[in-house]
Amino acid sequence: MSFAGKVWRLLVGIKDALVLILMLLFFSALYAALSASPYKDSAREGALVIALSGAIVEQPAEASPIDALAGSIAREHRLAEIVHALDTAATDDRVKAVALDLDIFTGGGQAAIADVGDALDRVRRAGKTVVAYAAGYSYDSYQLAAHADEIWLDPIGAVVVAGPGGSNLYYAGLMERLGVTANVYRVGTYKSAVEPYTRSGMSPEARSATQAVADSLWESWLEDVGQARADSRIADWVRDPMPFVRAANGDLARAALDAGLVDHVGDRTAFGRRMAELAGRDRSGLPGAFRTISYDAYVSDNPVSRPGGRIGVLTIAGTITDGRASAGTAGAETIVENLERGLRQHRLAALVVRVDSPGGSVTGSERIRRAIQAVRARGIPVVVSFGSVAASGGYWIATAGDTILAEPATITGSIGVFAVLPSFEEALRRIGVGADGVRTTPLSGQPDLLGGISGEADALLQTGVDATYARFVALVSQARELPVARVNEIGQGRVWDGGTARQLGLVDSFGSLPEAIAEAARRAEIEGSAAQPVFLEKAPGFLATMLAGLGGAEAPAVSRDAFARLGTRPQAAMARALADVETMLAGPAIQARCLECPVVGAPPPARRANESLIARLIAFLQPA
C-alpha cells in the first residue's frame, strides 16, 4: 500500500504540474493579448512602425508549446502582409511616415526582400517619408534599407555586406570513417544534392551551376541597391571597404556615411526625434518618443486575406512532405485539405498557387499537383507565382498551372530526382556484429540497411529513380510545350535564376504575388471586391494563437551587431546540414529536392529516434 500511495502521489503531482503549466500559458497569453492588443493603437495618426524582428517568409511557422515554455519563439513575418500594409499605408492619410526598424531583422529570400523594397518605393512615390534604422546592416537588411528616404546607423554600428556564397558540408570522409555506405541513385548531371554523401568537395559541374546562380543573385542585388541609392558608392564599398575605413580613422559608422551608404549616424533617441518631426511627438514626452501606429494593429485592420474574395491563394512553403504538417512546412495532405476546404467555403473564380519551396517528397509533390490539376480541369484558371525558391518538387507542382510568374532573383529549376539510402554493413563488421537471414524472394528484407542492399534491390531503386525523372521531364515538356529532349537538356538537376529560367521557357513572365493575383483576376474576368485574394489556410487554433501572442516583437537572443550576424551564417548552415542529413535518413526514398537552394527560416525539426540512432552510432565508434 505504501508503494501504491507513492505512485498515486507522483501521478497527482504530475497532473498538478501540467495543470499549472497550462494555466500559466493561458493567463500569460491572455495578459499579452489584453496589454498588447493591436487594436488599441489602430485609430491613431503617426508613423507606421514596421519592426522586422525576425525573418520574412511566405508562411510563418506555428510555434510549439515546447518553444513557448523555453522562451525561444522566433517571430516570422508574412511577406504578403508586409506588402499589403505598405500599399495601404501609401494612400492612408493617418500614416504620416514609415519607420523601418531593422535592428534585429534576420533576413529573407532575395526575391521577397525585393518585393518589400518595391512596396517601400510605392510609399515614397505617394509622398511619404520612409526612415530605416539599425545598429548594423548586413546583406539582407541593407537591401531593404536602401529603399528608404533616410538610412540611420548607430554610432558604433557598421555596414557589412557579404554576398551570396559560402561553404557546404560534405560527409564522404566521415561516412567512410564510420563505415556507413551511401547507396546513391540519381538522374541529372547537376543533381548535387547527393554530392555531400559521395564526395569531399564540389564537383566541377555543381560548382559551375552554383557559381552561375550566385553571380546572378549578386548582380541582381547590386542593381537593386545601386538604383535605390544612386548617389552611394556601394560598388566601391563591397569591392573593398578598407579605403573608406582608413580615411575615417577606423570609425566604421563614419566610413559608411562618407561612402554614402547611410544618411545619418545617430542613436535611437536621435532617430526618434527625427521621426517626431515627421509624425508628431508622443504624449509621454520621453526623449525620442514619437506618435506610432502599431504594425500588428494595422495588419489586423487591413487584412490581406478577404473572406469575400474570389481569388484563392494556396501557399506551398517549405520542404514538401507526405501527410500533414503545420504551417511553414508543405505537408501534402494539409495543402490538399486547404484547397478542398477553400473550394467548398468560397466561390473561387481563380486560383493562385504561391510556391516558395526547394521541393522534397516526389509523392507529396504529385499529390498536390493532381489536386491543382483537378481545379484547373473544372475551368478555374490557375496562376502559379514563384517566391524566392521554387525548385525540384516545387517546380513539379507548378506544371499544373496555366502560367508561371517568377522574379529575377527566384531560384528555380533543379529538374532532377535522387535517392540516398545509407547502409551499415561495414560499420557492423567493424564492431563484430553480423547480419544474416533467409529469403523467399530476391527482394526479401530489401533494402537491407544492415546487411547491405542486394543487386536486385539496387537495380530496382535506380529504375524507380529513372522512371520518376522521366515522368518529371514529361510533365515539364507538356506544361511548357517544349520537346522532351530540350527539357532533358535544361533539366539534369541544374538550378537556374529567374531571369535565365524565363529565357529557357521555364517561366512565362516576371511578377510578384500581387501581380499574379491581378493576372488571375484578368483570366477569370472579375474585378472590384471579387478580385480580392482569400488565403486558403486553416485558421490557427486557440493554443496556436496564444503561443503566437507569447512571441513578442523582441528577440533578445538575436545580436544587433552586423559582424555577429556574419557569425550566425555558419551556425545556420550547420543546423541546416544536420537537418538535411536527418531528412535523408528518415524521409521518402525518392526525392525531388534542391539541397543547394537557400531556405529562409528554421530547419525542419529532427526526428528524435533517428537522431538518437546516429548519435549512438557515432559515440560508439569514437576512439576511447
Side-chain angles (χ1 to χ4, degrees), residues 49 180 198 209 243 266 307 334 340 386 398 405 420 430-431 434 456 461 496 540 558 563 566 587 596:
V49 179
V180 178
T198 60
T334 299
E340 293 175 347
F386 284 172
L405 278 68
V420 178
R430 292 181 186 180
I431 61 177
E456 295 88 349
L461 283 165
W496 305 96
V558 178
F563 290 98
L566 293 179
E596 63 268 38

Side-chain angles (χ1 to χ4, degrees), residues 48 50 82-98 122-123 126 128 293 298 302:
L48 176 61
I50 303 180
I82 298 173
V83 171
H84 182 69
L86 288 169
D87 284 338
T88 304
T91 58
D92 189 342
D93 292 337
R94 296 180 303 161
V95 179
K96 306 303 180 185
V98 172
R122 293 192 288 271
V123 172
K128 301 185 179 184
I293 299 174
Y298 208 71
N302 302 281

Side-chain angles (χ1 to χ4, degrees), residues 534-556:
V534 53
F535 281 67
L536 307 183
E537 299 175 11
K538 188 177 180 180
F542 177 68
L543 180 58
T545 303
M546 283 201 310
L547 295 177
L550 291 175
E554 284 294 319

Side-chain angles (χ1 to χ4, degrees), residues 200-291:
S200 298
M202 299 181 76
S203 67
E205 296 83 2
R207 185 179 301 278
S208 172
T210 304
Q211 187 67 56
V213 173
D215 289 343
S216 177
L217 292 177
W218 180 234
E219 181 181 352
S220 176
W221 189 94
L222 285 173
E223 181 180 0
D224 185 18
V225 173
Q227 290 179 352
R229 300 283 298 182
D231 296 332
S232 72
R233 299 179 63 185
I234 183 65
D236 295 332
W237 179 273
V238 297
R239 190 179 302 114
D240 184 8
M242 288 310 298
F244 298 97
V245 175
R246 284 191 290 266
N249 296 319
D251 187 333
L252 296 176
R254 181 70 191 182
L257 182 66
D258 293 342
L261 271 62
V262 301
D263 301 291
H264 302 281
V265 173
D267 59 15
R268 276 195 172 274
T269 301
F271 165 72
R273 285 197 293 265
R274 172 56 178 151
M275 293 307 306
E277 294 175 1
L278 297 170
R281 291 183 175 275
D282 185 76
R283 296 177 184 176
S284 68
L286 296 173
F290 58 95
R291 300 182 68 183

Side-chain angles (χ1 to χ4, degrees), residues 464-480:
V465 169
D466 292 340
T468 304
Y469 177 72
R471 175 163 177 74
F472 199 168
V473 169
L475 286 173
V476 176
S477 172
Q478 182 179 5
R480 306 307 306 166

Side-chain angles (χ1 to χ4, degrees), residues 158-232:
V159 177
V160 183
V161 176
S167 298
N168 298 319
L169 296 178
Y170 292 81
Y171 316 108
L174 174 63
M175 295 177 74
E176 182 180 359
R177 178 185 177 190
L178 298 178
V180 178
T181 303
N183 301 278
V184 173
Y185 312 90
R186 56 177 283 182
V187 179
T189 304
Y190 298 93
K191 200 62 183 175
S192 57
V194 300
E195 289 190 355
Y197 311 100
T198 60
R199 300 176 59 91
S200 298
M202 299 181 76
S203 67
E205 296 83 2
R207 185 179 301 278
S208 172
T210 304
Q211 187 67 56
V213 173
D215 289 343
S216 177
L217 292 177
W218 180 234
E219 181 181 352
S220 176
W221 189 94
L222 285 173
E223 181 180 0
D224 185 18
V225 173
Q227 290 179 352
R229 300 283 298 182
D231 296 332
S232 72

Side-chain angles (χ1 to χ4, degrees), residues 351-377:
L351 177 67
V352 173
V353 180
R354 179 66 169 180
V355 181
D356 191 54
S357 169
S361 164
V362 167
T363 53
S365 302
E366 177 65 3
R367 174 81 169 102
I368 298 170
R369 188 199 69 83
R370 288 176 180 174
I372 296 171
Q373 183 65 42
V375 173
R376 187 179 173 192

